[in-house]
Amino acid sequence: MPMMLPLSLLRTPQLWKNCKFWDFNTVSRTNCGAVRTEGVGDVISHNEFVGGPHTVVTLNGNENIIEYNEFYDNMQDKAEDASPIYGGRRLDVQNNIIRYNYFHDIYPTMSCVYLDDTLSNQHIYENVGINTSRMVFIHGGVENTVKDNLVINTPNDMSAVRVCGAAWSYWDISTATSEAGNNFMWTFVNLPWESEPWQKYSHTHKYMKKYPEGYRVPPYNNEFTGNI
């Protein structure tokens, strides 16, 4: 039987550079933003993202870079459980970098960058937010790095970073619909995650082996330094 690989490893890296995105997400008003990373080595750089009712960039794939972009006037529908850059429920999404971005004048929401439902091994540093919510919100997950980010004039004196409690993780992908919909391990269950190329993410292996099915997994080994 041939080894199963995600489509992200079979796709040519994409480059979005020096573009302006506006008037997106107008028909389906949630989770249909301007850009969605799905591959390995995608780069989103030096773009201007203006407006939009909901999430602007959806973070999937591995080893992708989001840098030197300007985000403003986003989240116009004021959804609380969302953000301009959002990713979650995918343990196969690893080692992405979000750096040197400028967020300003964004409607109050969860954060500028939202790592939801055990998203792990993401690196967020040296971003600036003015008249925005906090820079980063983490819901579960391990080995995330958040450093040297600056936020100014957040509503209700929000901190730069917030880490929420734990998130449910399930091994059994045949469980009832309600549980299967919250199965954050499903992407790894169907992959050869104990062989290459997944071996580089050994911290996630430890995470998956440490907690039994149905356990509420706490965030740990996240690094926060120099955030103001």
Side-chain angles (χ1 to χ4, degrees), residues 34-225:
V35 174
R36 182 184 184 95
T37 65
E38 288 284 359
V40 175
D42 290 352
V43 177
I44 303 173
S45 180
H46 293 91
N47 300 295
E48 181 180 354
F49 296 96
V50 54
H54 200 254
T55 294
V56 179
V57 175
T58 302
L59 184 63
N60 283 315
N62 305 67
E63 323 287 341
N64 300 307
I65 297 175
I66 303 174
E67 63 179 5
Y68 297 110
N69 301 289
E70 181 181 9
F71 295 81
Y72 63 97
D73 199 27
N74 313 127
M75 307 300 301
Q76 293 177 355
D77 281 358
K78 303 180 182 179
E80 293 183 358
D81 194 19
S83 68
I85 299 179
Y86 174 89
R89 301 193 177 196
R90 293 286 301 271
L91 283 181
D92 62 325
V93 174
Q94 296 274 345
N95 204 31
N96 295 294
I97 295 173
I98 302 172
R99 63 187 180 189
Y100 317 140
N101 298 287
Y102 177 35
F103 302 85
H104 65 94
D105 302 300
I106 294 172
Y107 289 81
T109 184
M110 187 68 79
S111 57
C112 296
V113 180
Y114 191 171
L115 308 183
D116 199 7
D117 292 337
T118 69
L119 197 68
S120 298
N121 191 29
Q122 313 298 317
H123 311 289
I124 302 153
Y125 57 88
E126 297 186 40
N127 300 281
V128 173
I130 300 177
N131 298 326
T132 68
S133 301
R134 65 179 63 85
M135 181 57 64
V136 181
F137 183 88
I138 294 176
H139 181 202
V142 301
E143 306 289 343
N144 294 298
T145 303
V146 183
K147 63 180 183 180
D148 299 330
N149 298 283
L150 172 66
V151 290
I152 299 172
N153 194 26
T154 60
N156 302 319
D157 296 322
M158 285 184 176
S159 58
V161 181
R162 182 184 175 192
V163 180
C164 183
W168 284 105
S169 294
Y170 293 93
W171 275 98
D172 185 2
I173 61 176
S174 65
T175 52
T177 302
S178 60
E179 293 184 354
N182 287 295
N183 182 353
F184 309 146
M185 293 182 174
W186 71 272
T187 50
F188 259 20
V189 169
N190 286 320
L191 293 172
W193 56 271
E194 294 190 274
S195 60
E196 292 293 342
W198 306 103
Q199 273 297 317
K200 68 171 71 175
Y201 308 129
S202 59
H203 55 276
T204 307
H205 299 167
K206 295 176 184 176
Y207 170 91
M208 294 178 70
K209 292 176 179 179
K210 184 175 181 178
Y211 295 99
E213 175 190 344
Y215 194 88
R216 203 163 170 80
V217 182
Y220 64 90
N221 286 0
N222 294 293
E223 178 184 351
F224 311 105
T225 57

